[in-house]
């Protein structure tokens, strides 16, 4: 989002608070009541002290003492209720922000994730968001607590002695000057600390993901050094923040002690001069004590507030990034169901990765019609996966390059596009759930699904799953870590077979299986796959021998197109690939 159109942090935060305005309103009312009771107790204590020794005023004395006890008991109730009405909305705001962050992350595309590492995003959602909860809960409560305490208490002090109250203003002004400097310094330090925490989190995720590479190459010392460097930077920054909290913020807490000394010194002189009674001096001392809590709270508020503001800025890196406009506009159900009635047409498609000078795809043109099975053959690095990611709009392409029937896919929402075009990749993602739930994941509830046993059978997984400890209820672990590469690919294929589709793209889904399993799965794909059309992408010619048409891709260009037999006769690249792979398979056999 541009800076010009960006709302302020206050307005952004108030949008979430407004959803709980009733709870906050009730909480504010109880905070005011608590502070009103607190500032009235010293007045009655002072009155009671002045009545001591006057037997004729015993009834008035008991009345003042009774009010003090009553006000104290009611304060316990109102203070408790005020916290309930602030802390609960604080948790609700935290949940709402987390939900919005996750929803936005599911809408953002590859360009966003290429600029923000996974560890950074995890740190934002898990760590930074805690500052927003603190801001919506305890800080909001303490802000109103301080406002009421610092307004009602001086007012009561003014009623007793305007001159003595004015003397107490000096330390308050000094306190706010120190607080302003401390706030500015802490905000800068916390912003840098948050960035260092995100860097540490991001690097930790990277090290853990590549732990096998680190161990196999014996570079543990390097990894430990990199981690230690980030950890030391975070420690040093935290020390600077601790210095502020232990040096500057306690000065704020000493303000009440200075005020008490001034009240005793100057107020004592007023008592001697009979400008104040002993009860009024006692009340002024009690009010000085009441001022202690706001000033102590002020130090905590300043520290937490700066952390919360930096957290808010960090979370807005996600929430202020707008999703693609086209993804918010969906076709009517009838029009969406009619997609891929004629063809998927690629028209002079070009794509160059950001930061690269060499195009990954150059002048690609072809069409897939309902009922066709088309193959794409190419060596590693020829642009096959780039082509797949352009077809399903994982990558952003120029308008006018790919059409689904007469619809430019850049004008369609990704949900509408992927309702017609389904992709199964060579690196499937499996959730830390059961085999059954991973197969059912993303299935169209309205489509006619296979039985789970049939989907497993057609993907050659039924026998293996039956031997798992809990069969189809066995957990596969995070990212399918408990399965082999071939098992993960076949489970992903079962997910694709589970419900029918219009056009299914199989991107090297058989790269991790043996030859016998490959032949079985190819029979399932060609004979039982419930899709109108299939695009099979592979670097193995044997996988594509039975398709209707093969596109030969080399260095981002289509160098030939035709049936298997035709390409063997006229395309040297295809013929050489076929011959080499046949020789390799014969040698392996």
């Amino acid at each position: 989002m541009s800076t010009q159109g960006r709302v302020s942090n206050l307005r952004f935060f108030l949008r979430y608070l407004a959803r709980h305005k009733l709870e906050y309103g009730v909480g504010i009312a109880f905070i005011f009541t608590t502070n009103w009771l607190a500032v009235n107790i010293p007045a009655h204590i002072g009155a009671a002290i002045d009545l001591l020794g006057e037997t004729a005023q015993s009834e008035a004395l008991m009345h003042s003492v009774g009010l003090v006890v009553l006000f104290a008991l009611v304060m316990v109730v109102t203070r408790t209720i005020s916290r309930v009405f602030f802390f609960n909305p604080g948790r609700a705001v935290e949940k709402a922000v987390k939900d919005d962050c996750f929803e936005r992350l599911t809408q953002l595309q590859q360009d966003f994730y290429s600029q923000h590492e996974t560890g950074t995003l995890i740190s934002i959602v898990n760590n930074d968001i805690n500052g927003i909860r603190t801001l919506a809960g305890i800080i909001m409560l303490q802000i109103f607590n301080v406002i009421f305490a610092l307004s009602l208490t001086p007012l009561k002090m003014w009623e007793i002695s305007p001159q003595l109250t004015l003397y107490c203003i000096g330390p308050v002004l000094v306190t706010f000057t120190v607080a302003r400097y401390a706030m500015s310094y802490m905000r800068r330090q916390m912003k840098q600390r948050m960035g260092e925490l995100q860097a540490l989190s991001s690097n930790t995720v990277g090290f853990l993901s590549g732990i096998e590479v680190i161990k196999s190459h014996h570079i543990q010392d390097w990894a430990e050094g990199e981690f230690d460097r980030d950890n030391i930077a975070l420690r040093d920054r935290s020390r600077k923040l601790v210095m502020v909290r232990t040096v500057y913020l306690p000065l704020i807490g000493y303000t009440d002690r200075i005020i008490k000394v001034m009240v005793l010194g100057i107020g004592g002189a007023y008592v001697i001069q009979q400008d104040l009674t002993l009860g009024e001096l006692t009340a002024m001392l009690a009010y000085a004590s009441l001022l202690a809590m706001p000033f102590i709270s002020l130090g905590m508020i300043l520290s937490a507030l700066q952390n919360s503001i930096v957290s808010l800025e960090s979370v807005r890196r996600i929430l202020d990034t707008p999703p693609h406009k086209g993804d918010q506009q969906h076709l009517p159900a009838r029009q969406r169901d009619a997609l891929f009635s004629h063809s998927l047409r690629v028209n002079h498609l070009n794509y160059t990765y950001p930061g690269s000078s060499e195009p990954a795809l150059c002048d690609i043109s072809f069409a897939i019609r309902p009922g066709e099975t088309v193959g794409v053959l190419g060596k590693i690095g020829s642009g096959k996966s780039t082509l797949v990611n352009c077809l399903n709009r994982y990558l952003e392409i120029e308008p006018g390059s790919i059409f689904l029937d007469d619809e430019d896919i850049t004008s369609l929402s990704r949900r509408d596009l992927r309702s017609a075009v389904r992709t199964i990749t060579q690196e499937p993602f499996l959730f830390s759930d059961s085999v059954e739930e991973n197969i059912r994941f993303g299935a169209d509830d309205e489509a006619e699904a296979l039985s789970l046993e049939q989907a497993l059978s057609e993907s050659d997984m039924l026998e293996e799953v039956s031997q798992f400890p809990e069969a189809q209820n066995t957990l596969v672990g995070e990212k399918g870590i408990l399965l082999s590469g071939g098992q993960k690919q076949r489970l992903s294929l079962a997910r694709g077979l589970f419900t029918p589709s219009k056009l299914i793209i199989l991107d090297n889904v058989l790269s991790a299986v043996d030859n016998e399993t490959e032949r079985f799965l190819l029979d399932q794909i060609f004979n039982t796959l419930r899709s109108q059309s299939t695009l099979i992408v592979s670097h193995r010619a044997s996988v594509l021998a039975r398709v209707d048409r093969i596109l030969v891709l080399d260095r981002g260009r289509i160098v030939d197109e035709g049936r298997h037999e035709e390409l063997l006769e006229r395309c040297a690249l295809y013929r050489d690939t076929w011959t080499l792979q046949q020789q390799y398979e014969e040698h392996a056999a």
Side-chain angles (χ1 to χ4, degrees):
M1 180 179 289
S2 65
T3 304
Q4 185 177 1
R6 190 174 186 266
V7 300
S8 66
N9 285 331
L10 179 60
R11 291 184 60 186
F12 178 86
F13 184 59
L14 286 177
R15 291 176 181 174
Y16 288 95
L17 297 189
R19 304 176 188 177
H20 309 279
K21 55 188 176 183
L22 179 60
E23 294 98 317
Y24 281 119
V26 175
I28 292 170
F30 276 99
I31 290 177
F32 177 81
T33 303
T34 301
N35 282 275
W36 183 87
L37 293 169
V39 297
N40 276 279
I41 288 175
H44 291 289
I45 291 176
I49 290 175
D50 288 336
L51 292 173
L52 288 174
E54 298 183 17
T55 55
Q57 299 293 332
S58 59
E59 185 177 343
L61 175 62
M62 294 305 297
H63 177 72
S64 295
V65 172
L67 287 177
V68 169
V69 174
L70 177 63
F71 285 179
L73 293 175
V74 175
M75 274 183 60
V76 173
V77 178
T78 57
R79 178 175 281 117
T80 302
I81 294 176
S82 67
R83 277 153 175 72
V84 171
F85 278 96
F86 270 91
F87 292 168
N88 287 350
R91 287 289 185 179
V93 168
E94 177 193 24
K95 176 183 179 300
V97 174
K98 274 189 176 181
D99 287 344
D100 290 347
C101 282
F102 185 77
E103 180 183 2
R104 182 58 51 85
L105 287 171
T106 62
Q107 297 170 348
L108 297 175
Q109 302 305 317
Q110 177 62 20
D111 56 345
F112 175 84
Y113 290 100
S114 63
Q115 299 172 20
H116 300 82
E117 296 181 356
T118 302
T120 298
L121 298 176
I122 291 174
S123 180
I124 290 174
V125 175
N126 283 340
N127 300 328
D128 300 354
I129 218 162
N130 292 333
I132 297 179
R133 181 195 68 216
T134 303
L135 180 59
I138 184 64
I139 294 180
M140 285 290 294
L141 182 144
Q142 292 296 343
I143 285 175
F144 284 101
N145 207 19
V146 168
I147 289 174
F148 292 140
L150 293 182
S151 57
L152 294 177
T153 304
L155 184 62
K156 285 292 185 179
M157 294 173 70
W158 186 271
E159 291 178 357
I160 296 173
S161 175
Q163 295 87 353
L164 190 55
T165 303
L166 289 174
Y167 279 115
C168 296
I169 292 178
V172 174
L173 294 177
V174 173
T175 296
F176 277 105
T177 302
V178 174
R180 182 177 180 182
Y181 172 78
M183 285 178 63
S184 177
Y185 181 81
M186 288 176 62
R187 182 171 183 178
R188 293 194 303 269
Q189 295 299 317
M190 284 183 172
K191 190 170 185 179
Q192 294 177 12
R193 181 184 181 277
M194 189 164 290
E196 290 162 351
L197 179 61
Q198 292 170 2
L200 179 63
S201 176
S202 180
N203 288 337
T204 302
V205 170
F207 291 147
L208 293 178
S209 299
I211 192 67
E212 294 302 327
V213 176
I214 292 173
K215 290 190 292 186
S216 63
H217 288 79
H218 304 289
I219 54 175
Q220 291 94 330
D221 291 341
W222 169 81
E224 290 174 4
E226 292 293 307
F227 182 87
D228 192 47
R229 183 194 63 188
D230 293 338
N231 210 13
I232 289 174
L234 183 62
R235 180 202 64 189
D236 292 343
R237 190 73 58 189
S238 299
R239 282 178 173 176
K240 291 181 179 180
L241 286 168
V242 169
M243 182 190 71
V244 176
R245 295 190 180 103
T246 55
V247 175
Y248 291 99
L249 298 185
L251 294 177
I252 299 174
Y254 295 148
T255 303
D256 74 296
R257 293 168 175 80
I258 298 173
I259 294 176
K260 287 179 180 179
V261 172
M262 296 181 68
V263 169
L264 281 173
I266 302 173
Y270 286 169
V271 171
I272 294 173
Q273 298 170 7
Q274 297 186 346
D275 292 331
L276 283 178
T277 66
L278 186 59
E280 289 173 333
L281 178 61
T282 304
M284 290 293 285
L285 282 172
Y287 286 129
S289 298
L290 282 179
L291 284 176
M293 288 308 298
F295 281 112
I296 293 173
S297 299
L298 188 61
M300 182 276 293
I301 290 173
L302 293 178
S303 176
L305 184 60
Q306 295 311 306
N307 185 41
S308 298
I309 291 174
V310 175
S311 297
L312 193 61
E313 288 281 357
S314 185
V315 168
R316 292 189 66 179
R317 292 165 59 184
I318 297 175
L319 295 179
D320 283 352
T321 303
H324 192 278
K325 292 182 179 179
D327 290 332
Q328 309 304 307
Q329 302 171 354
H330 304 295
L331 296 175
R334 181 178 299 179
Q335 192 173 350
R336 183 177 64 248
D337 294 340
L339 288 174
F340 196 60
S341 299
H342 308 297
S343 67
L344 174 73
R345 181 164 48 89
V346 181
N347 184 34
H348 302 291
L349 171 65
N350 297 280
Y351 186 81
T352 302
Y353 284 98
S356 175
S357 58
E358 293 294 327
L361 297 175
C362 187
D363 197 29
I364 302 293
S365 296
F366 67 93
I368 305 174
R369 296 171 180 82
E372 281 190 319
T373 300
V374 178
V376 177
L377 177 77
K379 297 181 293 185
I380 295 174
S382 60
K384 302 186 302 298
S385 294
T386 303
L387 175 60
V388 170
N389 291 333
C390 288
L391 293 175
N392 60 27
R393 277 192 66 199
Y394 183 68
L395 298 174
E396 285 292 345
I397 60 174
E398 293 293 327
S401 300
I402 304 178
F403 294 86
L404 191 59
D405 295 335
D406 296 325
E407 299 282 351
D408 189 328
I409 69 167
T410 59
S411 66
L412 295 174
S413 69
R414 286 174 174 79
R415 191 185 75 176
D416 290 340
L417 171 64
R418 291 165 186 171
S419 69
V421 180
R422 182 183 303 172
T423 305
I424 301 177
T425 66
Q426 60 182 321
E427 296 180 357
F429 188 94
L430 300 179
F431 294 90
S432 184
D433 209 330
S434 65
V435 170
E436 178 179 0
E437 291 304 318
N438 270 284
I439 292 176
R440 295 184 183 276
F441 175 77
D444 187 350
D445 294 335
E446 299 179 0
E448 182 182 352
L450 295 174
S451 66
L452 189 66
E453 290 75 14
Q454 190 174 358
L456 288 169
S457 176
E458 293 183 5
S459 61
D460 197 31
M461 280 289 288
L462 183 60
E463 183 177 350
E464 293 179 54
V465 170
S466 64
Q467 297 175 359
F468 287 172
E470 298 182 37
Q472 62 196 34
N473 295 318
T474 302
L475 299 179
V476 301
E478 185 178 0
K479 297 183 180 180
I481 194 172
L482 301 180
L483 304 179
S484 67
Q487 287 174 329
K488 286 191 283 188
Q489 286 190 341
R490 282 179 284 152
L491 198 58
S492 179
L493 183 60
R495 180 190 289 169
L497 295 168
F498 191 61
T499 54
S501 59
K502 296 180 179 180
L503 171 61
I504 189 167
I505 301 175
L506 305 177
D507 182 13
N508 265 333
V509 296
L510 306 180
S511 60
V513 300
D514 56 49
N515 292 336
E516 183 179 353
T517 304
E518 177 187 288
R519 285 191 291 270
F520 174 82
L521 294 177
L522 285 174
D523 286 338
Q524 303 304 313
I525 291 172
F526 286 109
N527 299 325
T528 64
L529 186 63
R530 297 186 300 160
S531 65
Q532 296 179 24
S533 297
T534 306
L535 178 66
I536 304 177
V537 179
S538 180
H539 59 270
R540 294 161 66 174
S542 58
V543 174
L544 307 177
R546 295 164 59 182
V547 302
D548 299 325
R549 185 160 40 94
I550 301 172
L551 309 175
V552 182
L553 201 62
D554 186 36
R555 297 181 181 179
R557 296 177 179 271
I558 295 179
V559 296
D560 210 335
E561 178 180 354
R563 296 182 61 84
H564 170 68
E565 295 79 8
E566 298 171 347
L567 293 175
L568 283 176
E569 292 181 6
R570 68 168 185 259
C571 181
L573 176 61
Y574 185 85
R575 184 171 54 252
D576 292 344
T577 302
W578 171 266
T579 302
L580 287 172
Q581 291 178 357
Q582 289 298 307
Q583 292 174 350
Y584 173 80
E585 291 177 5
E586 291 174 2
H587 177 72

